Amino acid sequence: FFILFFLFTFNFSFTLIDYTDVPYATKGNNSPKIFSLPLLLDSTLHTVFLKREGIYYGKSTNFGNSWEIRPVILSLGIRNPSIYLSPNRFRNIVWEKDTANQTEIFYYCLDIRMPPINVSQTPGKSYSPSLTVDNQTSWGKVHIVFADSSFGKSRIYYRKWNFQSLSDTFQITNFDSLGLFDHTNPTIGIFDNNKVYVFWQGYSLEISYPYRIFCRYLENDTWREPFTIFTSEEPLAHLSCDFTFNYNEGFSLGFEDYNTNNGIPDCHFLGGNGGGYPTSDSSTYPTLSTISDV
């Protein structure tokens, strides 16, 4: 009876959020583009996406059946927006933007009167931002990672915003002092008793199994040593970690794996239920979210 009631109560049809002329409106998947707080009987959904003139924000208060749309920032050269809500429902957004022959990462909170903050401030290209928010205070602290190729091969950087100031920039990939790897596509989440985990993909022609997925986590304000959680002779791409407010669970991670299906990408998962799901054709851009305490 419960299953039938559930099926007949909820509408599973498609809902148009808005029109856009940008083919990469929700470019990438290393960070969430749509978000909801796990509150009982709260049907509110939040999303960000691109139009040609800039970033737009959408809000639905009825499980996505209808949407209110408004611009966040109107400017050319913007890509890869992402949104994450803090415990008090502050709406935190990051994106990458072309500025004066370089690319910077910007952070903005929709619920505070403040201009966008440049969190990268490097002389070259910063790209693929990802963010999460902890629950240590009611507004939380915003944790941001991004890739940067200003100094040759790409590195991964981290900064924290506490709604008063930015922390110093920390290079997650400082262990690679010889610059063997090109580090890209970072994704960030909070798991395992409030540890801040960062996952990213690395590539190096100079070693066997040149494609790798690395992990490093922040515990008690200390960055622990990085470790490799997956290696392959074929490409690994487009990481996306779980996002959830149950910060005590183990991590879940999705990515593309070209090794198991004759060079055709399949979606593969680590942590959580684990496993891979082979298909006869190309499967790309996996993303996942916990919807219960399990």
Side-chain angles (χ1 to χ4, degrees):
F1 170 81
F2 175 78
I3 294 176
L4 291 176
F5 175 81
F6 179 87
L7 290 176
F8 284 109
T9 300
F10 288 90
N11 180 9
F12 291 101
S13 63
F14 290 104
T15 300
L16 175 67
I17 296 176
D18 199 9
Y19 292 99
T20 174
D21 52 2
V22 178
Y24 47 88
T26 56
K27 181 178 185 287
N29 71 318
N30 64 308
S31 53
K33 320 298 179 187
I34 188 166
F35 202 90
S36 65
L37 285 172
L39 301 176
L40 185 63
L41 301 180
D42 186 351
S43 61
T44 305
L45 298 171
H46 309 263
T47 188
V48 286
F49 59 93
L50 286 182
K51 291 189 176 185
R52 191 170 301 277
E53 64 270 20
I55 296 176
Y56 281 74
Y57 163 78
K59 179 180 179 179
S60 172
T61 57
N62 56 9
F63 296 104
N65 288 307
S66 60
W67 292 82
E68 303 171 12
I69 306 297
R70 68 180 179 90
V72 173
I73 182 168
L74 300 180
S75 178
L76 298 178
I78 289 179
R79 292 175 297 276
N80 206 11
S82 179
I83 186 169
Y84 207 107
L85 268 65
S86 53
N88 66 350
R89 306 191 189 195
F90 279 7
R91 296 162 293 177
N92 303 279
I93 300 174
V94 293
W95 64 85
E96 61 188 70
K97 183 181 187 300
D98 295 335
T99 59
N101 298 320
Q102 60 191 27
T103 305
E104 303 284 10
I105 305 300
F106 286 88
Y107 162 81
Y108 180 65
C109 180
L110 277 172
D111 300 285
I112 297 178
R113 291 186 177 181
M114 56 175 281
I117 299 173
N118 184 343
V119 301
S120 53
Q121 301 172 343
T122 62
K125 181 180 180 181
S126 300
Y127 60 100
S128 295
S130 180
L131 80 163
T132 189
V133 183
D134 64 36
N135 62 356
Q136 301 305 299
T137 62
S138 62
W139 58 84
K141 296 176 182 177
V142 183
H143 305 265
I144 302 170
V145 290
F146 56 93
D148 185 271
S149 59
S150 298
F151 310 101
K153 292 182 179 179
S154 291
R155 307 171 179 179
I156 306 299
Y157 291 101
Y158 162 87
R159 299 196 80 175
K160 178 172 62 178
W161 166 253
N162 63 6
F163 288 93
Q164 293 180 330
S165 62
L166 277 170
S167 69
D168 292 337
T169 302
F170 178 76
Q171 186 194 157
I172 300 287
T173 53
N174 57 6
F175 66 95
D176 185 17
S177 59
L178 298 178
L180 296 179
F181 284 89
D182 199 44
H183 302 280
T184 58
N185 200 221
T187 183
I188 190 170
I190 301 177
F191 309 98
D192 191 20
N193 296 320
N194 290 295
K195 299 172 185 174
V196 179
Y197 276 77
V198 179
F199 307 90
W200 70 95
Q201 62 196 51
Y203 171 73
S204 174
L205 279 175
E206 303 179 42
I207 61 173
S208 59
Y209 294 93
Y211 299 93
R212 303 195 173 196
I213 293 177
F214 292 101
C215 177
R216 196 170 190 179
Y217 62 86
L218 179 67
E219 181 182 26
N220 298 326
D221 293 325
T222 299
W223 282 102
R224 303 305 179 184
E225 290 301 310
F227 54 95
T228 302
I229 61 175
F230 202 82
T231 64
S232 177
E233 294 178 323
E234 301 295 334
L236 306 169
H238 297 140
L239 279 65
S240 176
C241 74
D242 186 11
F243 55 97
T244 172
F245 274 83
N246 180 10
Y247 294 146
N248 294 321
E249 68 177 17
F251 73 83
S252 302
L253 182 72
F255 56 93
E256 293 171 23
D257 183 1
Y258 288 73
N259 192 51
T260 59
N261 194 18
N262 297 320
I264 300 174
D266 273 327
C267 293
H268 194 90
F269 298 89
L270 294 174
N273 291 331
Y277 301 89
T279 60
S280 60
D281 210 334
S282 175
S283 298
T284 59
Y285 290 101
T287 189
L288 64 165
S289 175
T290 294
I291 57 174
S292 72
D293 292 333
V294 180

